[in-house]
Amino acid sequence: MVKVTVDGIPVEVPAGSSALQACEAAGKEIPRFCFHERLSVAGNCRMCLVQVVRAPKPVASCGFPVGEGMQILTDTEVVRKARRAVMEFLLINHPLDCPICDQGGECDLQDQAFGYGADQSRYAENKRAVTDKYLGPLVKTVMTRCIQCTRCIRFATEIAGVPELGAVSRGESMEVTNYVEKALTSELSGNLIDICPVGALTSKPYAFTARPWELKRTDSIDVCDAVGTNIVMQARGASVLRIVPRTNDEVNEEWLADKGRFVVDGFRHRRLDRPWVRVHGKLQPASWQDVFVALAKRLKGVAGDRIGAIAGDLCDAESMLALKDLMGALGSANIDCRQDGADYDLSQRDFYTFNTGIAGIEEADALLIVGAIPRQDAPVLNARIRKRFVAAGRGGFPIAMIGAPQADPTYAVDVLGDGPDALADLAAGRSPFLDVLKKAAKPMIIVGHGALTRPDARAILKAAWDIAGQVGALDAQWHGFNVLHTAASRVAGLDMGFVPGKGGRDVAGMLGDGVEILWLLGADEFPVDRIGNDTFVIYQGHHGDAGAARADVILPGALYAEKPGTYVNTEGRVQQAFRSVMPPGDAREDWRILRAFSEVVGHTLPYDTLEELRARLAQANPVFARQGNPRFAPPQGISPDGGKVAIAGTPFVPVIADYYQTSPICRASPTMETCSRTYVHPPAQAAE
């Protein structure tokens, strides 16, 4: 530790810290534009100038290392004069369009100009004008506002790993550009909006929609993947207008994937806002009472083993437990939360969770990825892998991948093969990467759903577990075996046992003529067309998608922004979201619908309030009563069940065909549709 003095306040900071970090440790706020805690130091803006005793002139604190006994002054006349001069230079070419800028109210330049700006300008020449750049359908550019801090360039290169932004020219002529008129290809591009300190980069879908002070903010959890990214819903009136990330260093740091950020316009399209009943082959609107009575009559006399339920990928834990309890009261063991047909060994929790925790990626020193494409399955988690890769330096964090040989993960990987044959070669010692894993102090293995949605999933899972044990990833200090999920509801469903009971049918068994009555709780991601023609389908959800189109009865539910809910992410972390807006029309919270119907059908569920339901959750599995760090005890020395199907040689197939079209909300979103056309299905161009 190094002892320094900041404005007479003695502080101790780690060796190698900057003067800016020392000032913040002393409780001093230092203005800055180019400096960002998670990016490399550029020292472009000079706004963070401070005075160091015995230094000939003010220094940029972001890039000035501290020394033993250093005395730093942050509020002298010399410092104030220097900062005012820097601000004057920044404002010389900056346009005076604050009233029409979407960054207004959240602009760092605006805030700092209040403290260090002048009431008039001495610059009487023409201001610089810069052509706006095309960055795709998500990020809007007004490059005349750019102050050349280069945060966006550093983010794209260092965090996203897609170096598509750069700078041309020098001095006042410098321009941030993507070189060619090409859309940004990163799944994290929306974070450029957050890190830009001015209004040069703003949200294109959100442009001119609202001002920040008009919005009500509510903490929530992103459900577009299984990372459990912490977010803030920003609403005005009855509509959520914007979603931004919320800092959580253990989960998402301060990043948010594009799908979770820009899917917000899908909240308002293709919504189910009233009950519907199919009469003579055509859906007709109905009241809640009429729907419940009709359902009760339809269920009367139907044996429990002829009733089934499937939970979708976006469900909260409360609604899934209510449906599980209702099915149990009706005598049905036909329940399943695995729309994709994934197979897990549920005898131990660490067989299906991300055991190191997402933050644990930064402790690993070797990584094997099996049947996963983290860049699409979980972009924020992929950014954490890249962070570890960059921090370790060349060769410091070797990564190998089995499956998806054509994928671009944003970091260097050694592709061992495209199928489980490569896993067998690795286990047998025929691959040199086995020695790499053995030499690592903390090796890590990530198994994705490309491996778990196959008939031989159990065998692959066991093979990966055995390799983890072989290389020392399963000891008392380090549990390096991880499963990467893609569905936000999956771990909660597995924790509460929303899987077929004794003699029960899974999703595949419920299709065809497997059941007489099928209850779909937001389930749209399985082959709906394979439901039997005579099967009576109840769809409970918030969007009119594939499940609603097949339904005989539609019960309008609330989406995740319209209800409080509990979600468990891929690492087993229990998190709670809060209601931002009320559901539209006659839509209601899903667990309340199920509780109300249970009374009509004569099997009243034993809870009337959300608190009572959450107590029931804790009874179903104590993990629901624990929030915070999900790290588990060391492995128990038991291997997963290898199943009855041997490992096949067929290549792994990616589980996500179109990153922007993975849920009913995504498919209802005009922005996600535009992204899909831009990135996944671009229009064909005629040859010249």
Side-chain angles (χ1 to χ4, degrees), residues 238 267 271-274 542 556-559 562 582-588:
F267 292 2
R271 289 300 305 272
L272 301 175
D273 59 358
R274 65 179 69 181
H542 38 74
L559 57 76
E562 299 162 355
M582 297 299 293
D586 291 332
R588 296 293 185 267

Side-chain angles (χ1 to χ4, degrees), residues 533-614:
N533 294 329
D534 297 329
T535 303
F536 186 86
V537 178
I538 305 160
Y539 183 82
Q540 180 179 345
H542 38 74
H543 276 78
D545 204 76
R550 174 59 182 84
D552 296 286
V553 169
I554 295 176
L555 307 177
L559 57 76
Y560 66 105
E562 299 162 355
K563 59 185 176 183
T566 300
Y567 300 92
V568 185
N569 73 349
T570 190
E571 56 179 354
R573 183 184 300 270
V574 179
Q575 303 182 109
Q576 289 186 354
F578 301 91
R579 179 192 290 115
S580 178
V581 294
M582 297 299 293
D586 291 332
R588 296 293 185 267
E589 294 177 40
D590 293 299
W591 79 265
R592 295 185 183 277
I593 296 173
L594 293 160
R595 168 61 180 82
F597 176 69
S598 71
E599 189 171 349
V600 175
V601 82
H603 298 283
T604 304
L605 297 178
Y607 30 79
D608 298 321
T609 65
L610 183 62
E611 290 71 25
E612 293 176 353
L613 177 53
R614 285 177 172 169

